Amino acid sequence: MAEDIGSTVPRRQLGRLLRQYRTEAGVTLDAAAEALEYSRQKIWRIECGLGAVRVLDVKAMCELYGISAELTEAMKGLAAETKSKGWWHAYGDAVPSWFELYVGLESAAAHLREYGDNLIPGLLQTRAYALALYQPGSRLSVQERERAVEVRLQRQTLLTRRLPQPPRLDTALSEAVLRRTVRGPGVMTGQLTRLLEASELPNVSLRVVPLAAGPHPGSVAGSFVILDFPASKGGRVPEPSVVYSESLTGALYLDKPEELRAYENAWAGLDVLALSEAESRDMIKRVIGEMRHD
């Protein structure tokens, strides 16, 4: 199950290529829709990678844009890949539509750089901590909360999967995250112990940005993840990096060069200020000791 990365990356690659070739051919979205007798919305959804794509549609679009037979065959192959389903589809509504894209990208990434400004990142949460994040007045039922947590725990298996190779996870956490109590000392000591265990994995780096560092780029950016992707099958250009930033009602997916540069700079600033991995483990152990003696 954890080995299935689904169709997210092929959909995005195909959409980006079709948009590029349409633009190079000087065909507007409206002109393409009229020529192909498609709705404008259909072409827009294909170009945004928002669903499976029929090989027949790709063939028609390639013909309209004057794409070579060789490239057309490669893109028809991508279209076939857009029909595969990732493991998260089995969880239905437990994975919101705005988050489904992220889960697919996360599963396909080769390198994740995540800054946690307020909470422990989902890939490192314990079941008790994750459940505790849902307040008693949550609109979700007990069963819905359990399924949401199950999705989070299933996501975590990518760090220890056998194939494909698990991604590298570099995590920077604000010291405030360690000290922010979630459902009492018992849950927190269990969660912090989990952080220590995760930091021992060969593909995981965990560092703490101390409060003593003062204001820093992460203070403005808030929590975010930078995802980098491996080379694609058949020598295709790898999926461009993307920044994911979540909010209460949805998420932002940022991939414009200037957006990526801003978050790369924020990460570089965090990298300078964060404690070493060994110092970070020592701090986590101290916080655990403080909580046990309170």
Side-chain angles (χ1 to χ4, degrees), residues 113 115 170-173 205 207-210 212-218 224 263-277 279-280:
R113 287 171 286 172
Y115 172 60
D170 290 327
T171 302
L173 290 179
S205 170
R207 299 173 65 200
V208 176
V209 181
H216 53 77
F224 64 88
Y263 280 88
E264 290 276 5
N265 290 338
W267 181 264
L270 292 166
D271 191 50
V272 170
L273 295 172
L275 302 175
S276 69
E277 293 183 55
E279 291 169 333
S280 297

Side-chain angles (χ1 to χ4, degrees), residues 163-183:
L163 290 172
Q165 182 176 338
R168 169 76 185 175
L169 173 63
D170 290 327
T171 302
L173 290 179
S174 167
E175 180 185 344
V177 174
L178 308 181
R179 299 186 177 280
R180 179 171 289 113
T181 302
V182 174
R183 195 62 65 80

Side-chain angles (χ1 to χ4, degrees), residues 193-206:
T193 300
R194 164 64 180 145
L195 291 183
L196 293 175
E197 293 168 352
S199 71
E200 299 294 336
L201 292 172
N203 55 318
V204 174
S205 170
L206 177 62

Side-chain angles (χ1 to χ4, degrees), residues 45 64 77 85 139 193 214 231:
R45 285 183 59 81
L64 178 63
K85 291 187 179 295
R139 59 182 175 79
T193 300

Side-chain angles (χ1 to χ4, degrees), residues 73-289:
E73 285 305 309
M75 292 171 73
K76 284 163 64 177
L78 271 177
E81 291 181 41
T82 68
K83 293 177 174 59
S84 63
K85 291 187 179 295
W87 59 263
W88 52 94
H89 286 87
Y91 289 86
D93 292 342
V95 183
S97 57
W98 56 264
F99 190 56
E100 182 181 328
L101 174 59
Y102 177 75
V103 178
L105 293 173
E106 181 183 71
S107 296
H111 186 196
L112 302 162
R113 287 171 286 172
E114 182 159 10
Y115 172 60
D117 188 49
N118 297 302
L119 298 170
I120 303 293
L123 286 179
L124 301 175
Q125 291 177 6
T126 61
R127 175 186 290 274
Y129 184 95
L131 274 173
L133 294 179
Y134 293 99
Q135 300 299 321
S138 170
R139 59 182 175 79
L140 299 179
S141 69
V142 173
Q143 292 78 12
E144 288 171 331
R145 293 198 294 270
E146 284 286 350
R147 284 180 65 77
V149 171
E150 284 300 327
V151 170
R152 194 163 302 178
L153 297 179
Q154 179 61 41
R155 282 173 51 211
Q156 295 176 5
T157 63
L158 71 83
L159 294 176
T160 54
R161 70 190 179 194
R162 186 176 60 85
L163 290 172
Q165 182 176 338
R168 169 76 185 175
L169 173 63
D170 290 327
T171 302
L173 290 179
S174 167
E175 180 185 344
V177 174
L178 308 181
R179 299 186 177 280
R180 179 171 289 113
T181 302
V182 174
R183 195 62 65 80
V187 168
M188 284 306 300
T189 54
Q191 176 59 76
L192 297 183
T193 300
R194 164 64 180 145
L195 291 183
L196 293 175
E197 293 168 352
S199 71
E200 299 294 336
L201 292 172
N203 55 318
V204 174
S205 170
L206 177 62
R207 299 173 65 200
V208 176
V209 181
L211 292 173
H216 53 77
S219 304
V220 178
S223 299
F224 64 88
V225 188
I226 304 174
L227 302 95
D228 303 307
F229 300 91
S232 303
K233 298 176 185 176
R236 294 196 298 265
V237 176
E239 179 72 4
S241 298
V242 63
V243 174
Y244 173 79
S245 178
E246 189 174 312
S247 70
L248 186 63
T249 56
L252 292 176
Y253 295 89
L254 309 172
D255 56 9
K256 294 178 181 176
E258 61 272 20
E259 294 169 337
L260 287 170
R261 275 196 301 272
Y263 280 88
E264 290 276 5
N265 290 338
W267 181 264
L270 292 166
D271 191 50
V272 170
L273 295 172
L275 302 175
S276 69
E277 293 183 55
E279 291 169 333
S280 297
R281 282 193 289 269
D282 287 343
M283 174 176 279
I284 293 171
K285 290 174 183 175
R286 285 199 303 274
V287 175
I288 291 173

